[in-house]
Amino acid sequence: MNIHRGFQQGSEQWFAVRKGRPTASQFKRIITPAKGDYSKASRSYMLELVAECFCPTYAAFMGNYWTDRGNELEPEARDSLAEKLGLEIEQVGFVTPGPSRPWKDSVGCSPDGLVKGGDGGYLAGVEIKCPSPATHVEYVLGGVLPDEYKPQVHGGMAITGLNEWHFYSFYPGMKPLHVVVYRDAFTAQLEAHIDRFILEYADLRARVVPQLQVGGGE
């Protein structure tokens, strides 16, 4: 995998490196979490990605109280998980597959951390959620990776090549939910759908981008 460092997630550099590139947080629009089918939302996602090429912050989510609070709590949650694992969790800006892997730089993800082993190698990725207290209770009661994050977590494994991902729901004063997810048949389904999506997206871009470029024709 190719790790992009030197900038924070949510910064201008982060938006620039993601511009027009399918990312794991939106893979729920490529695969349906329940059945693993190719999603009907894939075309609308392609259109948004094309729009990002001309307006990089097009898909920026302005957030609300709980997302802002979640961002504030994320470092505490990351430290909590690192202590639980007894391992270092490295913060990174963005990750792409790298030239030696499928898709190369066509897709990417923004993990909330990468777990490092004693030898300095990467063992797993991390997805942290610091939701509202009621949502955290719901996650704890479920005891599993919530469906809404299934494509994102498996997408992280597909992109990085790692075989393990840690989902960690955290709220101060409550016991966290820690779920370890492993590469499985859903990961393989997602990888096949990413192959299809990239081909369809490339075709769409080739047809529509020249029509949108100012001064590029009639």
Side-chain angles (χ1 to χ4, degrees):
M1 60 181 158
N2 183 22
I3 300 175
H4 301 254
R5 299 182 175 87
F7 57 85
Q8 293 185 342
Q9 296 180 17
S11 65
E12 289 186 11
Q13 297 98 316
W14 182 74
F15 278 114
V17 76
R18 294 171 81 253
K19 181 176 68 175
R21 179 183 278 136
T23 56
S25 63
Q26 294 299 311
F27 282 177
K28 59 188 176 184
R29 301 170 71 182
I30 294 178
I31 188 171
T32 59
K35 295 184 178 180
D37 295 333
Y38 190 64
S39 175
K40 294 179 181 178
S42 59
R43 180 172 173 80
S44 64
Y45 184 33
M46 292 178 201
L47 296 177
E48 288 187 14
L49 289 171
V50 170
E52 283 182 14
C53 297
F54 295 86
C55 179
T57 58
Y58 171 82
F61 177 57
M62 300 308 293
N64 55 36
Y65 173 81
W66 291 113
T67 56
D68 291 342
R69 179 170 168 76
N71 290 333
E72 293 174 2
L73 287 173
E74 187 178 303
E76 182 180 349
R78 187 182 296 106
D79 290 345
S80 169
L81 178 59
E83 182 178 0
K84 178 182 176 69
L85 296 174
L87 295 168
E88 178 187 353
I89 299 178
E90 180 184 338
Q91 288 183 255
V92 298
F94 194 68
V95 179
T96 50
S100 63
R101 299 198 66 249
W103 317 315
K104 298 181 181 179
D105 286 333
S106 298
V107 297
C109 64
S110 302
D112 292 324
L114 294 174
V115 180
K116 298 181 73 173
D119 62 355
Y122 296 106
L123 304 176
V126 174
E127 181 60 35
I128 294 172
K129 299 299 176 188
C130 301
S132 70
T135 301
H136 179 71
V137 170
E138 181 181 11
Y139 290 165
V140 171
L141 285 174
V144 297
L145 173 67
D147 272 354
E148 61 186 304
Y149 300 117
K150 190 175 179 181
Q152 182 177 8
V153 166
H154 284 269
M157 289 187 281
I159 290 166
T160 61
L162 296 171
N163 295 318
E164 181 179 314
W165 216 264
H166 293 256
F167 178 84
Y168 199 65
S169 181
F170 178 86
Y171 192 88
M174 297 188 197
K175 185 176 180 178
L177 172 67
H178 179 207
V179 179
V180 183
V181 183
Y182 298 97
R183 179 181 290 269
D184 60 17
F186 187 87
T187 322
Q189 284 179 299
L190 175 57
E191 290 173 338
H193 292 331
I194 294 172
D195 287 339
R196 174 178 171 179
F197 183 89
I198 288 175
L199 290 174
E200 293 180 358
Y201 176 45
D203 178 69
L204 178 68
R205 281 186 56 135
R207 288 186 288 110
V208 73
V209 168
Q211 299 179 50
L212 297 171
Q213 290 173 327
V214 175
E218 296 183 1

